Amino acid sequence: MSSLTVIDEQVAATPAKVIQPAWVRLMHWVNALAMILMILSGWQIYNASPLFGFSFPREYTLGGWLGGGLLWHFAAMWLLMINGLAYVITGLATGRFRKKLLPITSSGVLHDVRAALTFRLGHDDLTVYNYVQRLLYAGIIVVGVLIVLSGLSMWKPVQLYYLVMLFGDYPTARYVHFFCMAAICAFLVIHVLLALLVPKSLRAMIIGR
Amino acid sequence: MAKRSFLIPGVDKRLLIKDSIKTMPDLTRRRFIAGGASLGALTLLTGCDVIDSSSAEEMLKTVSKFNDAVQDFIFNPDALAPTFPESAITKPFPFNAYYDLDDAPEIEADDWKLEVRGLVDNKKSWTLPELYNLPQVSQITRHICVEGWSAIGSWTGTPLRDFLKLIGADTRAKYVWFQCADKDGYNSPLDMRSALHPQTQMTFKYANEILPRAYGFPMKIRVPTKLGFKNPKYVISMEVTNDYKGGYWEDQGYNSFSGN
């Protein structure tokens, strides 16, 4: 009995550190689903009138044809936008962005990129993001904002004319939208690869610790 | 994926679907393929067959209607489409249809009349010279296709709202429904608010020249606040109506509002 009490006290005294709070985990996975739906339906839409000399393989598109792809895109956009907006607001309001992502210094990034490429980047404390993570996570938030703004410009170029002007014109907004998608796909590949290399980071994003 | 493509042992699901859709009419076939492909992708994502194609399609249709309601609520339907200087015009302006230029309608000006039907006081048909006599305006705007490409062009014609007033149309009606001479019978409904938009035009000229065959001779409806497929060419009749009569692309699944 007394030994049990001791264990309880120990647990209470040193609770396992929460690396990813519940709201981050929830929004992360909602975002993952929304992103995949947006990318696959977006590839379907791209294929209707390719910007470059290639199309995406049909197997990796959603909706069956342009009309279906558009329906998926304009349905999943709600998931992406509401979740993304909630994430940015919570991230700013709780100070998480400031605490976790800042500062980003060029020397820090250079040092950690070199360490990462030589597999010497430490992952002892997952609550502190290294400079590679800070740069990628902050960068992808900026890309996320850009892809939503350029997407809105293409969706409502008359109503949101001032937004279109921000990008120059409608065709430019279309290119921005494409390159943001490409950046997100590149991020996705690196992000998943790194998470698999450090599995406890994946665990933290699922169960929190 | 290979394992999952067998619904019944020994029967290839894809072949089965392929065989069965051959027996469907065109429209159903397209819808079925749309649903089937999204089902395939979802199966890939979730790893199980929990969502059948019809419920996914219903969900998408519901969201699409919800989107229409949201757009109706937050956007100003009278917002003007940006106009451009002549130097911005796309040259050559692309021909675009679901058929080749060779298959575009060849309309004899003398044989053609614009038929007017539905909730209007004066149902008389209009000849081309009669229409050419109406006051015309020019505008240089961007045509945006549902596929994503766009091109800037110069269109000249009579504002549709002036014509609707002239024929005594009931502008409280919900739609103006256009029918066209394209093969397979193109048609498209336009909501009344957009029909009354100051930039919506019965177009008779492109780049100050009589509308060429490629761009919809003798008459096109230019709606710069809508996607290209809501800008019918080779128009032969218009009907003012409260009924939603569908449209060539709308029936296949493009959002009917499709406003920019």
Side-chain angles (χ1 to χ4, degrees):
Chain A
M1 191 61 201
S2 62
S3 65
L4 261 179
T5 316
V6 171
I7 290 167
D8 275 354
E9 273 168 10
Q10 278 173 336
V11 169
T14 54
K17 223 171 175 182
V18 173
I19 301 168
Q20 306 291 5
W23 69 268
V24 169
R25 282 178 277 143
L26 176 73
M27 290 182 187
H28 172 270
W29 291 111
V30 170
N31 184 60
L33 173 69
M35 277 290 182
I36 288 167
L37 292 176
M38 288 305 272
I39 290 170
L40 296 185
S41 57
W43 288 359
Q44 179 76 255
I45 299 166
Y46 169 96
N47 283 356
S49 178
L51 281 172
F52 303 99
F54 69 91
S55 294
F56 294 97
R58 247 190 85 83
E59 307 85 288
Y60 296 104
T61 61
L62 195 55
W65 72 298
L66 173 59
L70 287 166
L71 287 179
W72 273 107
H73 212 63
F74 295 144
M77 73 173 183
W78 290 107
L79 200 60
L80 185 85
M81 282 206 305
I82 292 170
N83 186 65
L85 205 61
Y87 174 73
V88 170
I89 289 171
T90 321
L92 290 172
T94 58
R96 180 181 164 90
F97 287 170
R98 186 172 37 80
K99 276 181 278 185
K100 301 278 265 187
L101 303 178
L102 296 179
I104 301 173
T105 61
S106 52
S107 60
V109 171
L110 276 176
H111 174 270
D112 282 358
V113 165
R114 202 173 297 138
L117 291 178
T118 51
F119 295 98
R120 278 184 306 210
L121 196 55
H123 298 287
D124 302 328
D125 185 0
L126 286 183
T127 59
V128 178
Y129 286 156
N130 62 55
Y131 282 94
V132 176
Q133 285 177 301
R134 289 182 195 189
L135 183 71
L136 286 178
Y137 298 158
I140 209 65
I141 292 171
V142 173
V143 171
V145 170
L146 267 180
I147 203 166
V148 168
L149 293 182
S150 58
L152 286 171
S153 304
M154 291 162 67
W155 183 48
K156 296 288 154 197
V158 171
Q159 298 291 342
L160 305 176
Y161 179 60
Y162 47 93
L163 249 188
V164 180
M165 290 308 287
L166 198 70
F167 294 102
D169 57 14
Y170 171 88
T172 311
R174 210 172 151 223
Y175 278 100
V176 170
H177 201 62
F178 177 89
F179 286 117
C180 286
M181 177 279 294
I184 288 168
C185 290
F187 172 86
L188 198 69
V189 171
I190 298 169
H191 185 59
V192 170
L193 210 65
L194 292 180
L196 293 177
L197 280 173
V198 189
K200 60 181 175 176
S201 68
L202 183 58
R203 192 192 62 188
M205 193 46 89
I206 298 169
I207 61 167
R209 48 197 83 204
Chain B
M1 199 59 207
K3 264 185 230 159
R4 234 178 267 131
S5 63
F6 290 95
L7 194 63
I8 307 160
V11 177
D12 189 320
K13 193 157 100 183
R14 259 167 293 189
L15 285 179
L16 189 70
I17 290 171
K18 221 182 232 175
D19 279 346
S20 51
I21 59 175
K22 272 185 205 148
T23 62
M24 293 182 185
D26 253 343
L27 203 70
T28 330
R29 197 185 300 169
R30 188 151 213 170
R31 281 192 175 151
F32 190 80
I33 294 167
S38 43
L39 163 71
L42 262 187
T43 308
L44 202 93
L45 288 176
T46 57
C48 57
D49 278 314
V50 286
I51 297 179
D52 65 273
S53 65
S54 61
S55 62
E57 209 164 302
E58 282 312 308
M59 182 273 289
L60 291 175
K61 268 189 214 155
T62 308
V63 178
S64 188
K65 276 193 195 126
F66 170 74
N67 286 350
D68 284 351
V70 172
Q71 292 170 44
D72 194 39
F73 183 71
I74 62 175
F75 292 132
N76 167 20
D78 300 325
L80 293 179
T83 53
F84 299 86
E86 251 176 68
S87 57
I89 292 174
T90 309
K91 288 173 187 162
F93 191 87
F95 163 78
N96 186 64
Y98 51 92
Y99 44 75
D100 294 331
L101 183 51
D102 289 342
D103 292 330
E106 264 182 295
I107 292 172
E108 284 296 326
D110 295 340
D111 299 342
W112 182 87
K113 269 187 181 178
L114 175 68
E115 201 187 311
V116 176
R117 292 197 311 269
L119 304 169
V120 294
D121 292 337
N122 188 352
K123 292 193 173 75
K124 109 177 190 67
S125 294
W126 291 71
T127 65
L128 208 45
E130 284 172 336
L131 289 171
Y132 283 167
N133 272 336
L134 300 174
Q136 299 191 4
V137 290
S138 294
Q139 64 190 23
I140 301 173
T141 48
R142 186 186 291 281
H143 170 108
I144 297 175
C145 181
V146 65
E147 295 174 337
W149 60 268
S150 71
I152 296 172
S154 162
W155 287 274
T156 302
T158 302
L160 180 60
R161 62 175 181 181
D162 293 352
F163 184 75
L164 289 174
K165 200 183 284 172
L166 192 66
I167 61 172
D170 180 359
T171 51
R172 292 164 306 172
K174 286 186 184 153
Y175 305 99
V176 181
W177 188 55
F178 299 101
Q179 286 179 293
C180 307
D182 309 57
K183 66 175 196 147
D184 307 332
Y186 197 88
N187 51 59
S188 185
L190 186 63
D191 59 280
M192 185 56 79
R193 191 77 185 251
S194 301
L196 296 175
H197 187 283
Q199 287 174 310
T200 299
Q201 186 187 79
M202 296 164 76
T203 299
F204 303 112
K205 285 180 176 173
Y206 180 81
N208 298 318
E209 305 280 344
I210 293 295
L211 201 64
R213 182 181 163 208
Y215 304 152
F217 180 82
M219 188 178 98
K220 168 194 175 78
I221 303 296
R222 171 72 189 134
V223 194
T225 52
K226 296 275 183 186
L227 292 178
F229 77 93
K230 305 284 296 183
N231 288 233
K233 298 175 284 194
Y234 319 102
V235 175
I236 49 177
S237 77
M238 68 168 79
E239 179 174 341
V240 177
T241 174
N242 276 312
D243 302 325
Y244 179 74
K245 304 209 166 190
Y248 181 87
W249 285 114
E250 289 86 346
D251 292 347
Q252 296 181 54
Y254 286 161
N255 175 292
S256 183
F257 183 75
S258 285
N260 293 331

